[in-house]
Amino acid sequence: MIELPALGWQSIVIFVVFAVSLLIATYCTYAERVIAAFLQDRVGPDRAGPYGLAQPLADAVKMFTKEEFFPGGANKALFVFGPCLAMITALMSSAVIPFGNNISFGNNAFFLQGIEVNIGMLWVFGVVSLGVYGVMIGGWASNNKFSLLGAIRAASQNISYELAMGLSLIAVLMISGTLSLREITIQQSIPGEWAMWNIVRQPLGFIIFLVCAFAETNRTPFDLPECETELVGGYHTEYSSMKLGLYLFSEYVNIFVVSAVMSVLYFGGFNFPFQYELRDWLASSQGWELASAQNLITALGTVLLFGKIFAFIFFFMWIRWTLPRFRYDQLMRLGWTILIPLAVVNILITGGLITFGVIK
Amino acid sequence: MSPLFLFLSFVALLSALGVVFAKNPIHSVLFLILTFFSLSGHYLLLNAQFLAAVNIIVYAGAIMVLFLFVIMFLNLNVDTEPHKPALAKIAAAIAGGSLFVIMIVALRDIQLPAVNGTTFDSQIGMVDKLGMVLFTTYKLPFELASILLLVAMVGAVMLGKRETGERHF
């Protein structure tokens, strides 16, 4: 007899997170165009619906109804498998992100998090490192040299920047002493104590992580795998219809997830200043029950976490329409000879500060 | 044996066979990745979450990407597949088959150490327990291995570093 876990609140949370990440990715395509138009002093999409808000739907209809094309000599199974894998790996990593503190109904407490594992950070890191397979398989199966070049660029770029990313995460680990993302979030706000967000204790580590996040999500200035001027469309040159849509979509899901990870690791996650003071004030002077005051704090924290995520997504788009693309050798040199040594130095500094008791 | 264990073993064996029998080397690599995933599933069943995650990050996430990378560059296909003489094939079959027989004979009568259910620590594979063991009992080997890895990384950076007068672009 197979014992399946009962479908509890966790599956509801996972389903909601899944739906929300797809929704956010959908509207990222709209936001990208609006922000690009704003930065270039254009109007942007404004035809479909009020303020062009139905534009993502129109794009989806276009994607689904376009002709599905298989290039000659392509490996069909892997050609279809590539975009699927890109989407799956993009969606998987959001399962361990704590989107909110506990909410209680009566005697039942729920955490707004898919699964709480004591290796949360490693899970995110592992799934992110798998993301490159979707690009590589798709690029190879296209049977096109530009696609293959794009895929190879993506692979070497991701492997190179994963190293610096992992090293910058180690410094966070040294401070927090845990791999669980929920614990890391809670440590950034201990009640009754002025505990700072990790950005204050890890400024250099955050900058390294941010640069690596740009490289891992293949965003400008590091979008060499899909560099139009050299590689036509990069790894998705031969893709059309919704298979192309899945590739473009998975990039936005990746941006959402990496923004959420940055908010959780460095910007306090669902914590906000004076949350405990607000809860105690509601409970003591306003006559609220402690549980409902806590629920309000949790809801506010979730909203603010999404605010932080949106701020990061905006930052990604702002950079895209501001900075030009790097050259490939510059990209590799930045990763290997600047970011990795900097990350090692950051670990040494963090270790020294912990040893001398400056930070704990 | 739980059904999950049987399923994971089935996937592991099937994909391992796929590695050997696939004609296309890219398919072989992808089957090998699937094998690593099912092995990680086994680690999870044994409550070794850290080992499972590291197995995926290091093997599936890094080493196999390099494998795939190299094989894509080699452009191996049916036309360029080297044809080995029949004698080599027969010798390989005999060698592999006798290794298989020896392993079956060796493992047939093996006595697994009995585990006492009352004193067994189910948290033994968790990351904090593993860290305690690594940093106390196995401190020297652990530190030596980490220095080795650091040296390898510094060496890679040094190899990639540009020397004076080498600039071509």
Side-chain angles (χ1 to χ4, degrees), chain A residues 75 118 126 130 133 136 140 329, chain B residues 37 49 60 64 72 126 169:
Chain A
N75 187 322
N118 63 3
L130 294 177
Y133 281 117
M136 280 187 88
W140 179 78
D329 61 309
Chain B
F37 266 93
Q49 298 183 352
M64 294 320 291
M72 280 179 182
M126 293 295 165
F169 38 79

Side-chain angles (χ1 to χ4, degrees), chain A residues 64 153 243:
Chain A
F64 272 114
R153 279 188 175 188
K243 293 203 289 298

